[in-house]
Amino acid sequence: MRNVPQTPLSVDAYRARVAALVPPTPVVELPLADCLGLVLARDVVSPVALPPFDNSAMDGYAVRAEDVAGAGPDTPVTLPVPEDIPAGRTDVVPLAPGTAHRIMTGAPVPPGADSVVKVEDTDGGEQRVVVSAAVAAGTHIRRAGEDVAGGATVLTAGSVLGPARIGLAAAVGRAELPVHRPARVLVLSTGTELVAPGNPLRHGQIYESNGTLLAAATRELGAVPTLLRFVPDDVAAFHDAVAAHAADADLLVTSGGVSAGAYEVVKDALAGQGVEFLRVAIQPGGPQGCGRFGALPVVTLPGNPVSTALSFELFVRPALLAAMGHREAGRPRAVARTTEELRSPAGKRQYRRGHLDGDTVRPVGGPGSHLLASFAASDCLIEVPEGVTVVPAGEQVDVVLLH
């Protein structure tokens, strides 16, 4: 007899069970180009100041403020220009009193200069320059350490690495960063009725979509999916497919084959092998399973498309994010008023697809677990609690934001 508890688990209890199943990924050093979206594992301390030297904030001329103190449109000051200082020059010559050095943005300010006159306030001369505006000392100079002091912590452990943070790491001289390694997820889609998109269908066949959906959802998190499709409804074939990839996976996620009927290959292959099959008090997506197949953590999702997508969203997504070091693994939530009456089965937490518009939410499609088009057209999930069977139109509901 199959292991089906008499009382379904709550959504929260099952989410916790799946979260406990997926261990943290190891910390690895990766090149900056491979760190986007990953979580920093250790603080980053800058060995240099930013800027590392006083530099010009403008294209113009490095001067002493006292040498151009009387400059104006009607009283221009002319100075000789003995040096050019492009960005990147390292042998900067000190500025002599009564002279100007032509300087570019980002170039080091020469010793002796205390300000920069922007080129728009000059005639742009190369040998001599006519200055038509006075400047105060310090004008248009970026001071060393003004942004970051040497020895300062610039990135903290737990930070999600977006473009700006990766750019900052590069600016302080880091070529690699210690990050939580992306989780490696083996996605297995079973069913002899499945056909690859692009091929003709025969009567009784359907295009395989669950594996594609799960692989995309996995990749969106920054994890690395391996998609196995078209595994036939055969226990030996299932075991062979898993065994061939188990050593390189942190988690196996399957879709389909977990209900109470015949030809449930996932159940037949994993029941009694460390994976428990149960029911969760949720609609859609009641049949679920999780555990270990040998050393490999396994989460088995129901096969109807919306049940698959919703189950990944509620159970697998937060577990993978937490395993990869994310402190915030849940979606943002909101409260809105439903535009239509909602009906939900007693004792189950229902998730309806919806479209949020300001402080109102419109249900999209019905509650059926096969209505994938309505899921694709939604930007949120409407959550109806277990103890509620009717939500009148205009009533406030909790909303889980998907985009």
Side-chain angles (χ1 to χ4, degrees):
M1 186 173 180
R2 284 170 174 165
N3 186 12
V4 180
Q6 296 299 315
T7 304
L9 278 182
S10 71
V11 170
D12 296 332
Y14 187 63
R15 182 186 289 122
R17 183 177 294 199
V18 172
L21 183 68
V22 186
T25 60
V27 175
V28 294
E29 292 271 346
L30 291 181
L32 296 185
D34 297 330
C35 289
L36 183 64
L38 301 183
V39 177
L40 187 67
R42 293 188 292 272
D43 290 353
V44 172
V45 175
S46 177
V48 298
L50 288 183
F53 49 84
D54 290 356
N55 69 86
S56 178
M58 293 282 180
D59 291 339
Y61 296 82
V63 299
R64 298 193 312 164
E66 62 185 270
D67 288 341
V68 294
D74 299 323
T75 55
V77 172
T78 301
L79 300 172
V81 182
E83 295 287 340
D84 269 354
I85 312 175
R89 182 172 177 179
T90 58
D91 60 334
V92 178
V93 177
L95 179 75
T99 66
H101 289 180
R102 190 165 67 157
I103 194 168
M104 305 304 146
T105 302
V109 175
D114 62 10
S115 55
V116 172
V117 178
K118 61 184 180 180
V119 69
E120 291 86 350
D121 290 331
T122 73
D123 68 346
E126 297 181 11
Q127 305 300 319
R128 304 182 69 81
V129 62
V130 177
V131 180
S132 56
V135 289
T139 300
H140 303 317
I141 292 179
R142 303 164 176 158
R143 296 298 180 188
E146 172 181 309
D147 188 14
V148 172
T153 298
V154 292
L155 295 172
T156 56
S159 300
V160 179
L161 294 168
R165 287 170 175 163
I166 291 173
L168 177 57
V172 301
R174 295 297 295 261
E176 296 181 333
L177 288 174
V179 295
H180 296 274
R181 174 176 61 70
R184 300 172 303 198
V185 182
L186 182 59
V187 177
L188 194 151
S189 182
T190 65
T192 53
E193 78 281 11
L194 301 178
V195 175
N199 293 316
L201 286 178
R202 297 173 61 188
H203 184 69
Q205 295 180 325
I206 60 172
Y207 288 122
E208 196 288 315
S209 61
N210 284 355
T212 302
L213 182 153
L214 292 171
T218 299
R219 190 175 293 108
E220 185 182 42
L221 304 181
V224 180
T226 297
L227 175 57
L228 298 181
R229 299 198 294 182
F230 317 119
V231 176
D233 289 337
D234 177 82
V235 169
F238 183 98
H239 285 165
D240 289 344
V242 172
H245 296 85
D248 296 323
D250 299 306
L251 175 67
L252 167 63
V253 178
T254 70
S255 64
V258 298
S259 296
Y263 303 107
E264 302 293 349
V265 66
V266 174
K267 226 175 201 182
D268 293 339
L270 298 178
Q273 304 290 320
V275 177
E276 180 182 7
F277 293 90
L278 43 78
R279 295 195 69 83
V280 177
I282 186 174
Q283 187 195 51
Q288 300 283 343
C290 68
R292 292 183 181 276
F293 182 56
L296 181 62
V298 178
V299 179
T300 67
L301 308 180
N304 280 321
V306 174
S307 297
T308 299
L310 179 65
S311 297
F312 184 94
E313 177 67 36
L314 295 179
F315 306 127
V316 180
R317 182 181 188 276
L320 285 175
L321 286 174
M324 294 189 295
H326 289 263
R327 293 171 178 169
E328 296 294 331
R331 294 279 197 183
R333 301 173 71 93
V335 175
R337 296 186 182 279
T338 178
T339 61
E340 300 175 17
E341 179 184 88
L342 303 173
R343 292 185 174 271
S344 179
K348 293 186 177 182
R349 187 181 302 181
Q350 185 187 67
Y351 288 90
R352 293 283 297 273
R353 285 72 78 193
H355 178 73
L356 188 66
D357 184 9
D359 60 356
T360 64
V361 62
R362 173 178 57 83
V364 178
S369 59
H370 63 294
L371 303 175
L372 184 58
S374 64
F375 199 102
S378 302
D379 59 16
C380 65
L381 297 172
I382 304 168
E383 186 179 78
V384 182
E386 290 86 337
V388 177
T389 57
V390 179
V391 179
E395 190 85 3
Q396 284 191 331
V397 290
D398 289 330
V399 173
V400 180
L401 305 181
L402 297 178
H403 305 295

